[in-house]
Amino acid sequence: MPAYPSHEIPGGSRACWIEAPGRAAIRDARLAAPGTGQVQVRALHSAVSRGTEMLVFRGEVPTAEFQRMRAPFQEGDFPAPVKYGYASVGIVEEGPESLKGRHVFCLHPHQTRYVVPADAVHVLPEGLPPARAVLAANMETAINAMWDAGPRIGDRITVVGGGVVGLLVAWLAARLPGCEVELVDVRDSCRSVARALGVGFAAPKDAAPDADLVVHASGNPQGLVTALKLAAFEALVIEMSWYGARDVPLPLGEAFHSRRLTLRSSQVGHVATAQRARWDRGRRMALALSLLRDPVLDAMITDCAPFDELPAVLDRLSSGAPDTLCQRIDYS
């Protein structure tokens, strides 16, 4: 076999596939030349989702959700083999002159080169480094949650779960005038990141009660129990976590009714109801990318690895790795 560089095969591409639940591998892929209205992108970085992507890797997508949970450029079908992912940043090699040589974000699986419609890529704004732009899908999710939550000036806001999405929600909330924002997590290692983002931090046992708004993003059912306990009278609890096929027991027989709590889901697949008449996904993504220009957000990219190590990275993340926030994959 020719000794090509590990990240490149002439005329083609390489992609990460989940071959069976809990097992991934790098496969070769051939690319057709981009046609009219298409672009060819060479990947620079991608990111691994600690939430949905880990459920996909473990084969925990419920059968009833197979169609709704498809990624935009997914190949294969759940549970496996499947090529999955949605946080790729690269440079346009071929396509319309207005895009050639531009750095772009695309909701594409982990792959060294790919061809997609030109309107599927989002040009990075001036001042946003490609290595930070891997947070775009997470930022888009956080924006949608804030729209679903509708926080008010001066609210006491609690975010339960210090993963990337929870941290981004807390960072956005902390920018609202007069709001007191507290991140709650069982891992004390989240404290320093919260501090860097200008957000308060507490362990569950020390969290301030009577929050006007609580956002849950831990991915753990116990975190949602904590969120309900911290909510004030007639407060809103936003549930961002998706549990796949897991059952989620909740203490709805305690003070849930007497405190007249509202539990509302938030999911990024649809633009939030409050904005849907005026915003589309393209406008929402442009906002997400513009917000990522703040260098303080680099604190969330805690781990980096080369593309060839991605199968081992997925296995490590699936097994735990609690101190890893955003896992970036580098392609050169």
Side-chain angles (χ1 to χ4, degrees), residues 167-189:
L167 285 163
L168 287 171
V169 169
W171 180 75
L172 290 172
R175 295 158 71 97
L176 296 172
C179 287
E180 300 175 21
V181 181
E182 185 170 73
L183 180 77
V184 176
D185 200 285
V186 297
R187 301 163 298 174
D188 195 66
S189 58

Side-chain angles (χ1 to χ4, degrees), residues 245-325:
R246 283 186 292 170
D247 290 329
V248 180
L250 292 177
L252 301 184
E254 297 181 6
F256 179 80
H257 284 82
S258 62
R259 282 187 288 140
R260 296 174 54 83
L261 301 181
T262 298
L263 178 61
R264 180 185 301 164
S265 68
S266 179
Q267 203 271 345
V268 74
H270 295 280
V271 174
T273 304
Q275 304 293 85
R276 197 174 302 168
R278 298 167 305 281
W279 288 71
D280 58 19
R281 293 180 183 181
R283 185 182 176 192
R284 186 179 63 182
M285 178 57 75
L287 174 61
L289 291 169
S290 70
L291 291 172
L292 287 174
R293 286 180 290 192
D294 192 329
V296 72
L297 300 177
D298 286 333
M300 281 181 283
I301 302 175
T302 56
D303 294 70
C304 305
F307 173 70
D308 282 348
E309 294 181 13
L310 181 51
V313 167
L314 292 171
D315 184 65
R316 176 178 64 83
L317 296 177
S318 179
S319 301
D323 293 332
T324 298
L325 294 175

